[in-house]
Amino acid sequence: MNRSKGRKATLAAAAAAALALAAGACSDNGGGGGGGDDDKITVGIKFDQPGIGLKTPDGTYTGFDVDVATYIAKELGHDPSDIVWKEAKSADRETLLQRGDVDFIAASYSINDERAKKVDFAGPYLLAHQDVLVRADDDSITKPADLNNKKLCSVTGSTSAQNVKTKLAPDAQLQEYGGYSECLTGLENKAVDALTTDDSILAGYAAQDEFKGKFKLGGFKMSNENYGIGVQKGSELKAEINTALEKMVEDGSWDTYVKKNFGPANYQNEPAPEIGVIVK
């Protein structure tokens, strides 16, 4: 080899080593959904559920899940300003966790066996019940069986509508929309006859000023929905979040959040559930 070739080889090797070091530095981002910033924590919530998780027009976030998530983040060492809120639609929640796009999810996330195969759950932190919302002037739906041959709306990825069709009203006509707000518009415009999901979510919608007097809850307790905090499978966060939830109940914060977010709708909530106990 002549000197020119040797010099080129040395320079190429040095460049490759530099690139390798740079790549290693870039990849060492701390893991999780925080994007490498140890001060940040990324939390998945709903953006379109009043009383649960709502992104307001001015860009702030409100709701029971927002308050719970903020409390958990504080117990994990993060100020509210450290939280990066990310929309977690029903159909996307497992994927967001599996990809590490979020650190945890608090998004009216009912614990069930199928989901537990893919992600882990801390909690539960709220026991809700499946119900229906109908138009205030509609007296044709007084029991679950009345949903037969009715257009029943829920969102893609939610188990609510399928529960009704499988167990209570096999002839219900399922209409799956992208979000609950779309179902609500369909209900108001008579494109659908009923919207089904958890009573806590429905109460939040019914309590909005623009909808007061237009809708009513059916009052059906068609299932038990144990809300959990979703984390990656095998994540150590599960135990830390459970500790935070226990503290939240003990210090009275849980009751404060329930009254703040559901009180205006006269929502008859269940007592705080015992952490780790799933009500079937």
Side-chain angles (χ1 to χ4, degrees):
M1 183 190 303
N2 62 36
R3 290 184 179 179
S4 176
K5 288 183 178 179
R7 198 161 42 243
K8 288 179 180 178
T10 301
L11 289 170
L19 285 171
L21 285 171
C26 289
S27 65
D28 185 16
N29 62 11
D37 188 338
D38 289 339
D39 292 331
K40 296 296 182 182
I41 186 167
T42 305
V43 181
I45 58 169
K46 292 295 179 67
F47 278 14
D48 66 344
Q49 291 181 355
I52 298 288
L54 182 69
K55 183 178 181 180
T56 64
D58 64 3
T60 58
Y61 301 90
T62 65
F64 181 73
D65 282 346
V66 174
D67 289 335
V68 170
T70 302
Y71 188 100
I72 292 170
K74 179 194 70 175
E75 293 301 306
L76 295 176
H78 298 275
D79 294 328
S81 60
D82 297 334
I83 301 173
V84 177
W85 301 107
K86 189 175 183 68
E87 185 173 19
K89 294 183 178 180
S90 295
D92 299 335
R93 291 176 294 201
E94 285 85 43
T95 301
L96 289 170
L97 288 168
Q98 291 171 332
R99 288 194 314 215
D101 292 342
V102 294
D103 291 291
F104 67 85
I105 287 179
S108 53
Y109 203 0
S110 296
I111 301 169
N112 64 37
D113 293 339
E114 191 62 31
R115 291 169 179 166
K117 294 176 184 176
K118 303 173 183 177
V119 301
D120 282 344
F121 287 98
Y125 64 96
L126 183 74
L127 177 60
H129 303 286
Q130 186 178 345
D131 201 351
V132 296
L133 193 69
V134 298
R135 290 181 291 277
D137 60 357
D138 185 355
D139 295 323
S140 67
I141 301 174
T142 61
K143 58 185 182 298
D146 293 336
L147 294 168
N148 280 308
N149 300 312
K150 297 286 189 179
K151 293 179 180 177
L152 179 65
C153 190
S154 193
V155 303
T156 305
S158 172
T159 57
S160 299
Q162 196 60 50
N163 284 344
V164 172
K165 189 167 178 64
T166 301
K167 302 174 183 177
L168 301 167
D171 293 326
Q173 300 172 29
L174 298 188
Q175 307 284 322
E176 289 190 319
Y177 289 8
Y180 292 110
S181 55
E182 296 172 41
C183 280
L184 199 70
T185 300
L187 183 60
E188 185 176 20
N189 296 336
K190 299 187 178 181
V192 297
D193 301 304
L195 160 58
T196 184
T197 187
D198 305 343
D199 51 9
S200 55
I201 298 171
L202 297 174
Y205 281 120
Q208 292 181 95
D209 288 339
E210 64 266 38
F211 295 129
K212 282 182 179 176
K214 293 185 178 181
F215 307 114
K216 61 184 178 183
L217 285 163
F220 313 149
K221 291 187 176 182
M222 297 185 286
S223 70
N224 293 321
E225 304 297 334
N226 298 268
Y227 285 6
I229 304 294
V231 298
Q232 273 191 345
K233 202 74 175 170
S235 173
E236 295 178 359
L237 276 181
K238 176 179 176 179
E240 296 179 47
I241 292 174
N242 276 336
T243 299
L245 292 174
E246 289 170 351
K247 182 178 178 182
M248 182 180 69
V249 173
E250 290 170 3
D251 69 16
S253 296
W254 187 89
D255 289 310
T256 299
Y257 300 154
V258 168
K259 291 174 184 176
K260 170 188 170 186
N261 293 291
F262 302 134
N266 295 316
Y267 172 61
Q268 301 301 310
N269 65 279
E270 300 279 3
E274 184 178 346
I275 304 303
V277 177
I278 306 299
V279 178
K280 298 295 186 179

